[in-house]
Amino acid sequence: MKKFWKRLKRTVLVLVIAQFVYILYIWVFPPPVTLTQIGSLLGGHGLSKDWVSYDAISPNAKLAVMAAEDQLFPDHSGFDWKSIEKALAYNKKKPGRIRGGSTISQQVAKNVFLWQGRSWVRKGLEVYFTFMIETLYSKQRILELYLNVAEMGEGVFGIEAAAQRYYGKPASALTRQQAAQIAACLRNPKLYTVKPLSKFVSRHSGWVLRQMSNIDGDPDIQRVIAASK
């Protein structure tokens, strides 16, 4: 029994050190591959990804994803508590439908370090990784990770792969409308397609464009967009 506990402690210690080393690695380098990307490939959905630096991404794309997914991104420390409360209240009233309250930081924690799902274990780990990346990474690095690893279509991961697939151009050249269409699909990229343009993306991208105009003049938003990583 003593040997078992000794091995268990050793295993836990190795895992703790390994995850911290990986967090530091991702602080500097692109993630080699994510569990979501592996799942997409093994599930027959394909895998298209192409990492690009923060400075090689159109400001329109940065603005669009904040407008669509997390307008308080520059100001919070990883969690938007009001949105989480609203999501919990909504899910309690309508258990058949699930509404998320995740920030961009939480989505990066999930997409880069974890797996998809709604278990309490995964949620607990998401809180931990969100805290770690908000503590160590800059907002620009978090947004860079998000724009490079988020699924933006079936088997399409990252803004560069999406820009090339849908518009035949690099992410640096995306127009405001094109960026809004990609951002509009993020809620469910397998269902809400950019090409062919689904009704949802066509309608929701108009809302995203309006939100982009609303937040464009915010100095905190502009600091995140304009600054280098």
Side-chain angles (χ1 to χ4, degrees):
M1 197 66 175
K2 284 183 180 179
K3 284 185 179 180
F4 169 78
W5 286 113
K6 210 170 187 179
R7 286 176 183 173
L8 182 61
K9 287 178 183 178
R10 194 174 298 166
T11 302
V12 170
L13 181 61
V14 168
L15 289 174
V16 168
I17 293 172
Q19 61 82 26
F20 189 68
V21 168
Y22 192 60
I23 289 172
L24 294 178
Y25 175 87
I26 298 301
W27 190 7
V28 180
F29 302 104
V33 70
T34 69
L35 290 174
T36 303
Q37 291 169 354
I38 293 171
S40 177
L41 187 61
L42 295 179
H45 301 292
L47 175 55
S48 175
K49 68 186 185 79
D50 190 3
W51 181 275
V52 285
S53 69
Y54 194 72
D55 294 332
I57 299 172
S58 166
N60 292 324
K62 299 169 188 175
L63 181 64
V65 296
M66 284 191 282
E69 295 291 294
D70 187 359
Q71 296 184 15
L72 297 177
F73 175 68
D75 307 310
H76 62 61
S77 58
F79 305 95
D80 181 355
W81 298 110
K82 286 185 178 180
S83 293
I84 291 171
E85 286 174 9
K86 286 180 182 178
L88 289 172
Y90 179 88
N91 296 339
K92 192 174 181 180
K93 286 181 181 178
K94 299 185 178 181
R97 303 180 187 179
I98 301 295
R99 173 185 288 178
S102 295
T103 62
I104 284 175
S105 303
Q106 286 175 274
Q107 291 181 58
V108 168
K110 176 182 67 176
N111 291 335
V112 174
F113 300 100
L114 301 169
W115 60 93
Q116 302 300 314
R118 295 185 177 275
S119 70
W120 286 109
V121 172
R122 195 200 65 74
K123 275 293 181 185
L125 289 171
E126 181 185 300
V127 170
Y128 166 76
F129 281 108
T130 300
F131 170 77
M132 291 299 289
I133 65 176
E134 278 281 347
T135 301
L136 294 172
Y137 301 176
S138 67
K139 288 290 185 178
Q140 288 76 22
R141 178 57 173 171
I142 294 171
L143 190 58
E144 179 184 42
L145 285 163
Y146 180 80
L147 284 162
N148 274 287
V149 302
E151 189 171 14
M152 299 180 175
E154 187 173 7
V156 179
F157 291 87
I159 195 70
E160 179 70 16
Q164 295 288 355
R165 173 75 62 90
Y166 304 136
Y167 308 112
K169 60 170 63 175
S172 59
L174 285 170
T175 66
R176 209 170 172 95
Q177 183 172 3
Q178 290 165 346
Q181 288 177 346
I182 293 173
C185 86
L186 291 168
R187 192 173 295 182
N188 191 332
K190 288 187 176 70
L191 179 62
Y192 304 135
T193 58
V194 177
K195 192 175 183 180
L197 190 66
S198 66
K199 287 182 180 178
F200 176 85
V201 169
S202 178
R203 183 178 66 252
H204 192 54
S205 61
W207 178 86
V208 175
L209 280 167
R210 291 191 294 275
Q211 296 305 308
M212 289 169 71
S213 296
N214 289 341
I215 68 172
D216 199 9
D218 187 307
D220 293 332
I221 293 282
Q222 282 304 320
R223 270 194 292 271
V224 172
I225 291 172
S228 295
K229 182 192 61 168

